[in-house]
Amino acid sequence: METYLYIALFAPLVGSLFSALFTATPKKLFTGIVGSLLIFTSLVSSTILLMYILKGGEPVHVTMMTWMATGDLYIPFGFVVDQISVTMMMVVTLVSTVVHIYSIGYMDHDKGFNRFFAWLSAFVFSMMILVMSDNYAGLFIGWEGVGLCSWGLIGFWYHKESATWAASEAFIMNRIADLGMLIGLFLVYWNTGTLQYDGAFAAFHTLDISTLTWIGIFLFIGAMGKSAQFPLHTWLADAMEGPTPVSALIHAATMVTAGVYLVIRSHELYSLIPHVGLFIASLGAFVALFAASMALVNRDMKRIIAYSTLSQLGYMFVAAGLGAYWVALFHLMAHAFFKAALFLGAGNVMHAMDDELDPFKMGGLRKKMKWTWIMMGLASLALSGIFPFAGFFSKDAILEAAFVGNHTALHVMEHHYIIYAVLLFTAGLTAFYSFRLVALIFHGEERFKLFGFHPHEAAKIMLLAIAPLVILAIIAGAFQTTFFEMVQEALNAVEYHVHSQIVVWIMTIGTQVFAISMIIFAYVKYNNSRVSVPDGTSRLENSFIYKLLFNQYYIPHFYAEYIVKPYREISEIFWTKVDLKIVDATVDGIAGIIYGTGEKTRQMQSGNLSTMLTWMVAGLVGLLSLAVVFGLTARYSDEILLFLSALGV
């Protein structure tokens, strides 16, 4: 099995290096084909490892070599394939394979075709390091690797100022959060003496609650940045400036779930500090509702799906915070399938509409894009949690975890009805904004004719690439029991306390009725000929609530005015007053003195014999004069001191 581990890990790296060889040359189709084949090879190896784990095989653990060994610090290049990591490996490689194949068609006319595949495969390699490492240091390497690659992919179209700005925003905001994570890793090593998962987890049980709390808080700060949790959330929507396949891979299925993976992987820690877990769950519930509310009124197709991702990440953190780690992992997996399908479907629409993103300028596209309509409709049903799609099983399990209560590490029964109510309301909003988008794009009047668009269905390779994701979004829920049986060996199973099975059934049916009602409401409101392109004159658009949601609660404005702007002004003051007038002036002054001295003394080396003899004599006289002065000073030092004291010096 070790061979398959190495193939799964390093095949994406080979693909990246291969594509990088041709980044300075015109588009070469084989770079996309070879890159896709290598990612598929990684998928096959991951599948073999999954089958091995499912059959009851022991986790595969390899140590390639020693990375750091100094004093008591020992960090190897070690990797592990267990129930948690193999799940993430399957998600990463499956979605990556689909995205690579899709990108061959999507990026066909882009002059940066080769460069795109080099970055994309490098991202997959970094993500595989993140999920396969057997220690926190290796995880941090992959963590920073995906951050770098996301910067390159978000800002892929670097000629656009908005793209480079979004890439920098994502990079900087994640670096802020990563400082917290780095402090957490230092605390782990300082208190346990190791960064290996097994050693650290065993040592956690010997530490006091205060220490564990600080470790948990700082590690979660890192997770907040990578998974775009409030208040470090603004970069996710802005990151939609990158190519749509990037959004599908990075900002729906893989990188943004790394924060959730960190909490799940550290379940031994968070199970000991349920109060921190409750904070994580509460923040997750808030973010779920917070992001869903912004998606209700947004007019950018990709941003709506991005806010949906942010909302679903909140669901995952709720499950993880409440100790239902396997539920969080299952929703992570299911969400990857239907959300990646939605993003790629949005890419089809963008291709058909000359990169237009406003769904109000579309309408009636189901006649022109039948297959894209079907795929996005099915993926939206899964996102809305409608039975029997995958989203129903994963989201229902999260709602159940909040509603029925569970035994905490302190053996105290806790119910979280407020969190449940927030998530239930959010589920209704999710159904509404999902089918608001579907209705605006594919139904109603063909508004695109007013703007001169001539839509067409996407290329067959792009449609075929999306198909596996849609199929998995439909059937993945059927594997819920098998999945639980596999991961419960690595994750603590939640002990639910069910008062009555009837209550659970009522809760489930009620959730379905609510979601379906919101879908119907969305269609009634947006599937008609009266829908027009908003121009800011309607009563709704001028309402306080609409403006608040449309402007993202003015949080980006707050950051720009009260953090970025003051920082820039302070930087300009230091630049003009300190850097230029003090630092640069001092350095330039010293350089000027040295240069001027050189200019003057250069005459000494004129090559004229008489001039050089003159300088020699002058130097000799100077040395003899110094010798006389020092000699007299030494001989008459007492008299000189007496004389100076008489003068009062």
Side-chain angles (χ1 to χ4, degrees), residues 19-133:
S19 299
L21 294 174
F22 304 97
T23 52
T25 63
K27 172 205 163 185
K28 295 185 182 296
L29 184 62
F30 62 80
T31 60
I33 295 174
V34 171
S36 300
L37 287 174
L38 285 166
I39 299 296
F40 179 72
T41 302
S42 181
L43 171 61
V44 172
S45 297
S46 298
T47 304
I48 294 172
L49 290 167
L50 173 64
M51 293 299 103
Y52 169 75
I53 295 294
L54 280 173
K55 291 178 181 179
E58 291 295 319
V60 182
H61 193 286
V62 299
T63 301
M64 290 179 57
M65 63 187 77
T66 298
W67 177 29
M68 292 185 186
T70 174
D72 295 330
L73 177 64
Y74 171 71
I75 303 175
F77 277 117
F79 302 94
V80 63
V81 176
D82 59 7
Q83 292 83 356
I84 304 173
S85 60
V86 78
T87 302
M88 293 298 297
M89 290 167 62
M90 286 299 300
V91 170
V92 172
T93 56
L94 177 59
V95 177
S96 299
T97 301
V98 169
V99 169
H100 272 72
I101 296 172
Y102 179 90
S103 298
I104 294 175
Y106 189 89
M107 302 296 292
D108 182 58
H109 301 294
D110 197 290
K111 63 180 181 180
F113 184 89
N114 304 332
R115 177 168 57 90
F116 179 82
F117 277 92
W119 275 115
L120 203 63
S121 296
F123 171 83
V124 179
F125 173 62
S126 298
M127 195 69 197
M128 293 296 278
I129 291 178
L130 191 157
V131 302
M132 294 176 68
S133 290

